[in-house]
Amino acid sequence: MLHTTLRIAKANDACKESYVAVKQALGKGWGLDDPIPLTRILELRGLDDALWCLVAVLPEEETARDKLAHLLACDYAERVLGLFETAYPDDKRPRQAIET
């Protein structure tokens, strides 16, 4: 599971509205450096903010984050691959990149 903190989010220029909403939802006992699971961000603020938090994970989780981000990108690309292949039937590069 990936995590962020209030301090890391702020250092990465989290939007003020989301930052304040998360801070309030977590409560006064939550410290700036307490790890926040990204699943909690998803519950509190939705997918857009949870995806944004991928730029603001704990340093020791960056490798896991990178793997997840690559898998997400491939999944998203695979979902529209048919559109690309219809327009460019001879270009196999996107399919090969996804398969890799």
Side-chain angles (χ1 to χ4, degrees), residues 1-15 18-23 26 34-59 61-62 64-66 68-69 72:
M1 179 178 308
L2 299 175
H3 301 81
T4 191
T5 67
L6 292 170
R7 186 181 312 278
I8 293 171
K10 191 168 192 168
N12 282 276
D13 298 321
C15 75
S18 292
Y19 181 86
V20 169
V22 168
K23 189 173 180 179
L26 294 172
D34 292 336
I36 308 165
L38 267 55
T39 53
R40 184 74 173 125
I41 302 295
L42 180 63
E43 293 168 0
L44 294 172
R45 298 295 300 165
L47 185 59
D48 286 347
D49 282 0
L51 287 173
W52 177 87
C53 282
L54 290 175
V55 304
V57 299
L58 298 173
E61 295 178 347
E62 288 176 355
R65 181 264 326 262
D66 291 349
L68 175 64
L72 281 171

